[in-house]
Amino acid sequence: MRKIHLDKIRNIGIIAHIDAGKTTTSERILFYSGKSYKLGEVNNGTAVMDWMVQEQERGITITAAATTCHWKDFTLNLIDTPGHVDFTVEVERSLKVLDGAVVVFCGVGGVEPQSETVWRQADRYNVPRIAFVNKMDRTASNFFETLNQIRTRLGANAAAIQLPFGEEENFKGVIDLIVQKLLVYKDDLGKEIETLDIPYEKIEQVKLYRNELLEKLAEVDDVIIEKFLHNKDIAIGEIKEAIRRTTISNKFTPVLCGSAFRNKGIQFLLDAVVEYLPSPKDLPPIKGINPKTGDFEEITASDKAPFCGLCFKVASDPFVGKLNYIRVYSGSLSSGKYLYNATGRVKERLTKLVRMHANHQEIIEHVFTGDIVAAVGLSQTKTGDTLCDETNPILVEEMRFPEPVIQQAIEPKTKDDQERLGMALHKMVEEDPSFHVSYNQETGQTIISGMGQLHLEVITDRILREFNVAVGVGEPEVAYRETVTKKVNSTGKFIQQSGGRGQYGHVVIELEPQETCGTGITFENKIKGGTIPQEFIPSVKEGIFETAKSGVLANYPVTDIKVTLVDGSFHEVDSSELAFKMAAGIALTSGLRKANPILLEPIMDMEITLPEEYMGSVIGDLTSRRAKIAAINSRSNMRAIRADVPLAEIFNYATVLRSLSQGRATYTMEPSHYMEVPSHISEKIISGFSPTGAKKSFKKQRLTKIVSPRP
């Protein structure tokens, strides 16, 4: 039987820009909730949630870590996500299964580029969130400027429910605008809190921001607007109920403040999580598709409903093997039972259920609606697969993952390592949907692709440490793409006669560019009247997608195209799945050549923070790198340049920027979109040369670095 009522569960994630203090906030949550007996620190490698060696060495979060803790009589399933853009897939798949999020902002940096990215990701999944302005003890921290940026840059209907008391190193506590009390910390550990009346000099400021809070609530809540317009008193309970209603419906974002590193504000943040963020019952039912009928169905958050869960992450464990992280949307489940994978249409036996605490496991026998757990024994289940009851199959909407923007060759140092390298890469691909592996037939090299240089560096390091495989790697290169610019019709025929039964496949396709960039490849079947039997249509689709992995200009993958199957023919004896797959590939290749193909390159959204005296030299350098300056803003006593820059132009940019600014400038960047490569550069790439004149990747990449075990 369930021990914790569904209303008392909060599934939350901590999301933010890199170095905003997510993991430190998570560590304080574990400490104050009693999950950890001591404070974990990112700086000295003792953070519980940053358990990987690579995380501890670099002081950043690489993989999303899950844990369960308790606050008051509530259970919190918490996921601490990475802030670095190279690992944004971890944020994407976490938000898919979470009910709410805490967005952490740096009180000094305010709304930074990755802050905008995670906010948009939360918008896409309609995740309710509260904002926590961290680092209020830091020099140049500004709560009110950050609040303003949350409204202007993120478009949020946000209002403070707390104000900071004390500035920078004198930050001592917070003023609660709802109960109108001053809460001051009396000890360094943050456990002794004194409640005081608001000082006289702060009364006017409190009135101003409390009135602003009520105004923001009145804009989106009928109960508050009725009383607000008639100047009626609004009780504390009514304000909290309104904040909860509007936060859950994503119409309002409450903003809190504190300093996680100095142990201030975390208890109030936990109170806000349980008071304002939703339980699984508070959200609309999850929608899925019945694979038998194709109809939409709703998944009710109830233990009595048929079981439905989503595998949102796969991880390798050295002791138990493959771990599948599952969010349970409905029903209950016991270890030792069979599950139906509706995505792969296979039956799997669940051997063990575990509750995760970072990389530590607690064996449990049962899970219920709203739980986030890991399963052992699901050999064929992948990230994004729906698990359900075989008698009540349903498919939850699949997750979408970003395409890689960078690639490099990788080879084992010795022939003995070849098999182990293949096994290691297979496991990495299983774990990370944003990591791709391909084999270049022309050069005989294995090519790994990822979201950035750091991403591939961590992958290579893990191959060495976890699988003990020494490898050689090439220089990172841009992962270009190919697409088309006009609509064409194309025919593909595959006919073979060899004395006995032959092969016959004939397809006619319509090929056109997608209206929206970043949509990948869309396949549509418009066959009518049985000109191609229905059983051959999947083979046509498979042939299209396989052929699109290598374009006609420079062997780069094809993207942003729509392929429509409009006609064809078959032979009653000679037609086969293979024949139609080959015919589809021939049709696509022919169509690509006729449809004015072009090369696309990844464009990065870059923000550079620097003193004003270096603005001229940095902007001049960016212009020489084909950058388009989007905005120049002030940030405290610094300037912030926002620009779109081709990835090909900014490899090893950190060294250049240090030289231009005497080490005083910093930058962040993230993949933004793909754009057409200028013709003069495109010609060089197609002829087998990169923009800098170096040999291109498909002309055998020279290995520039050997990664070997330390002696």
Side-chain angles (χ1 to χ4, degrees):
M1 285 292 292
R2 172 186 285 278
K3 294 181 181 179
I4 300 154
H5 197 274
L6 196 57
D7 288 336
K8 300 291 186 180
I9 291 177
R10 299 289 183 269
N11 292 318
I12 64 164
I14 311 292
I15 61 176
H17 181 88
I18 189 170
D19 203 33
K22 294 177 307 304
T23 301
T24 303
T25 302
S26 299
E27 293 296 320
R28 298 311 186 264
I29 288 174
L30 296 182
F31 177 73
Y32 293 118
S33 65
K35 187 72 177 182
S36 298
Y37 68 92
K38 65 177 182 178
L39 293 169
E41 299 294 353
V42 175
N43 295 339
N44 57 24
T46 59
V48 174
M49 303 299 273
D50 283 352
W51 57 271
M52 292 175 65
V53 176
Q54 291 82 4
E55 293 176 317
Q56 293 167 357
E57 288 180 348
R58 291 168 172 81
I60 62 169
T61 302
I62 291 171
T63 184
T67 189
T68 300
C69 58
H70 304 277
W71 180 250
K72 298 180 177 176
D73 56 345
F74 290 81
T75 295
L76 276 59
N77 293 315
L78 173 70
I79 297 180
D80 176 35
T81 65
H84 199 287
V85 65
D86 283 19
F87 311 105
T88 190
V89 67
E90 295 286 338
V91 183
E92 190 80 20
R93 58 183 171 188
S94 298
L95 286 172
K96 171 71 176 177
V97 299
L98 292 170
D99 300 327
V102 175
V103 189
V104 181
F105 297 92
C106 173
V108 180
V111 175
E112 298 171 278
Q114 191 67 5
S115 307
E116 295 183 47
T117 301
V118 298
W119 193 273
R120 289 196 301 269
Q121 287 173 305
D123 280 339
R124 186 158 59 248
Y125 293 109
N126 204 30
V127 176
R129 67 216 80 151
I130 57 181
F132 179 67
V133 182
N134 191 26
K135 302 188 179 183
M136 294 310 303
D137 61 309
R138 292 269 299 272
T139 302
S141 61
N142 191 326
F143 173 79
F144 303 102
E145 175 60 25
T146 303
L147 174 61
N148 181 55
Q149 290 180 14
I150 291 171
R151 291 170 178 164
T152 56
R153 295 181 67 170
L154 303 178
N157 180 37
I161 62 172
Q162 293 177 348
L163 297 180
F165 181 69
E167 296 179 355
E168 300 178 351
E169 69 272 10
N170 294 318
F171 176 67
K172 298 176 181 177
V174 298
I175 298 171
D176 190 320
L177 294 178
I178 301 172
V179 300
Q180 299 185 82
K181 289 290 182 181
L182 170 62
L183 306 165
V184 176
Y185 285 86
K186 305 297 288 182
D187 65 328
D188 291 338
L189 209 54
K191 287 192 170 183
E192 296 179 23
I193 303 171
E194 187 176 8
T195 303
L196 303 169
D197 290 330
I198 296 170
Y200 177 77
E201 65 273 14
K202 292 287 184 181
I203 289 176
E204 287 303 315
Q205 186 185 46
V206 169
K207 284 181 180 178
L208 175 67
Y209 281 94
R210 192 174 196 271
N211 194 58
E212 183 183 78
L213 168 63
L214 296 176
E215 282 182 0
K216 293 288 184 183
L217 287 172
E219 291 174 8
V220 291
D221 189 82
D222 293 338
V223 176
I224 297 296
I225 194 171
E226 181 69 25
K227 293 199 168 188
F228 187 76
L229 291 176
H230 292 90
N231 291 321
K232 294 181 180 178
D233 288 336
I234 304 173
I236 290 172
E238 290 177 317
I239 296 174
K240 289 187 174 183
E241 287 170 7
I243 293 174
R244 178 171 177 76
R245 280 194 302 271
T246 54
T247 301
I248 290 173
S249 61
N250 254 321
K251 296 176 181 177
F252 177 74
T253 304
V255 183
L256 299 88
C257 61
S259 170
F261 185 68
R262 298 297 178 192
N263 312 315
K264 292 178 173 65
I266 303 302
Q267 296 97 324
F268 309 131
L269 176 62
L270 283 166
D271 287 338
V273 165
V274 300
E275 287 179 342
Y276 306 133
L277 289 180
S279 74
K281 282 185 70 175
D282 293 320
L283 296 172
I286 300 294
K287 290 184 178 179
I289 297 175
N290 187 319
K292 293 181 179 177
T293 64
D295 297 331
F296 280 98
E297 294 183 2
E298 290 188 343
I299 302 167
T300 306
S302 168
D303 293 339
K304 296 179 181 178
F307 176 80
C308 177
L310 180 72
C311 173
F312 67 95
K313 178 174 176 169
V314 175
S316 297
D317 184 271
F319 303 106
V320 301
K322 187 176 172 183
L323 281 171
N324 292 83
Y325 284 72
I326 298 171
R327 161 66 196 266
V328 182
Y329 287 119
S330 67
S332 58
L333 184 65
S334 302
S335 57
K337 300 290 184 181
Y338 281 91
L339 281 172
Y340 181 63
N341 183 329
T343 308
R345 299 187 180 184
V346 292
K347 202 172 180 180
E348 298 247 56
R349 186 174 182 272
L350 180 68
T351 57
K352 188 165 68 172
L353 286 165
V354 294
R355 198 178 299 282
M356 299 301 298
H357 178 48
N359 62 328
H360 300 291
Q361 303 164 15
E362 174 196 348
I363 298 175
I364 55 176
E365 293 299 320
H366 310 281
V367 293
F368 301 93
T369 302
D371 284 344
I372 295 177
V373 296
V376 179
L378 307 181
S379 59
Q380 298 184 64
T381 298
K382 306 184 297 296
T383 300
D385 285 359
T386 304
L387 300 167
C388 57
D389 183 355
E390 191 172 8
T391 58
N392 294 276
I394 193 164
L395 279 169
V396 176
E397 182 187 5
E398 291 184 358
M399 290 183 271
R400 291 190 176 185
F401 300 110
E403 285 293 315
V405 297
I406 197 169
Q407 61 186 31
Q408 65 183 162
I410 186 169
E411 289 181 3
K413 191 176 178 183
T414 66
K415 287 193 178 293
D416 294 340
D417 286 332
Q418 183 72 52
E419 187 177 338
R420 282 188 297 158
L421 175 61
M423 181 180 68
L425 291 174
H426 175 72
K427 287 193 174 182
M428 296 293 177
V429 169
E430 263 193 337
E431 288 186 22
D432 186 351
S434 65
F435 173 65
H436 294 187
V437 177
S438 59
Y439 184 73
N440 192 317
Q441 296 285 352
E442 293 187 30
T443 65
Q445 285 184 312
T446 299
I447 305 296
I448 57 174
S449 307
M451 298 305 299
Q453 288 176 272
L454 180 61
H455 187 195
L456 296 185
E457 183 184 317
V458 169
I459 291 284
T460 307
D461 193 48
R462 288 187 61 196
I463 289 171
L464 169 65
R465 297 192 196 223
E466 296 175 26
F467 300 93
N468 200 33
V469 180
V471 294
V473 293
E475 285 289 338
E477 296 183 344
V478 176
Y480 292 99
R481 294 287 183 270
E482 298 182 22
T483 192
V484 299
T485 56
K486 73 174 185 179
K487 184 176 181 179
V488 297
N489 275 39
S490 180
T491 301
K493 283 187 178 181
F494 182 74
I495 303 173
Q496 261 187 6
Q497 296 296 333
S498 55
R501 179 180 173 180
Q503 297 282 358
Y504 181 89
H506 170 219
V507 301
V508 180
I509 63 170
E510 200 174 73
L511 176 64
E512 59 187 309
Q514 295 268 34
E515 292 182 6
T516 308
C517 293
T519 49
I521 302 171
T522 304
F523 176 79
E524 186 178 351
N525 174 27
K526 284 190 177 180
I527 291 291
K528 294 179 181 178
T531 54
I532 297 178
Q534 201 63 32
E535 62 264 28
F536 295 135
I537 302 300
S539 299
V540 174
K541 183 177 180 180
E542 185 181 350
I544 295 293
F545 277 80
E546 279 199 13
T547 305
K549 291 178 181 178
S550 181
V552 296
L553 289 178
N555 291 351
Y556 288 111
V558 180
T559 189
D560 293 344
I561 60 170
K562 182 180 180 182
V563 180
T564 306
L565 180 61
V566 294
D567 201 0
S569 63
F570 74 102
H571 190 280
E572 290 186 1
V573 177
D574 291 349
S575 287
S576 66
E577 292 180 351
L578 174 63
F580 275 98
K581 179 180 174 181
M582 297 297 292
I586 293 168
L588 181 63
T589 301
S590 174
L592 289 172
R593 294 188 189 282
K594 294 189 294 182
N596 290 352
I598 57 171
L599 277 183
L600 301 175
E601 63 179 341
I603 304 297
M604 309 302 284
D605 180 1
M606 174 183 276
E607 183 172 87
I608 303 171
T609 305
L610 73 169
E612 187 162 1
E613 58 261 37
Y614 303 108
M615 287 270 291
S617 56
V618 170
I619 290 177
D621 179 71
L622 285 174
T623 304
S624 71
R625 296 172 186 272
R626 298 191 283 131
K628 291 183 179 178
I629 308 298
I632 300 176
N633 300 309
S634 297
R635 181 171 293 173
S636 299
N637 57 343
M638 306 282 276
R639 302 300 293 272
I641 303 171
R642 197 77 178 265
D644 289 336
V645 194
L647 177 60
E649 303 287 349
I650 48 174
F651 281 116
N652 301 315
Y653 185 66
T655 305
V656 175
L657 187 61
R658 278 197 296 268
S659 174
L660 291 172
S661 65
Q662 298 182 0
R664 296 176 64 189
T666 60
Y667 78 96
T668 58
M669 65 178 182
E670 61 181 23
S672 175
H673 57 282
Y674 272 83
M675 279 188 65
E676 182 179 352
V677 179
S679 58
H680 67 285
I681 296 176
S682 178
E683 288 169 6
K684 289 182 180 179
I685 297 171
I686 293 169
S687 64
F689 289 84
S690 73
T692 56
K695 291 287 184 182
K696 227 183 68 59
S697 60
F698 62 80
K699 292 213 171 189
K700 189 128 185 169
Q701 220 181 103
R702 184 172 62 87
L703 302 185
T704 57
K705 181 181 177 184
I706 302 295
V707 183
S708 303
R710 293 187 177 93

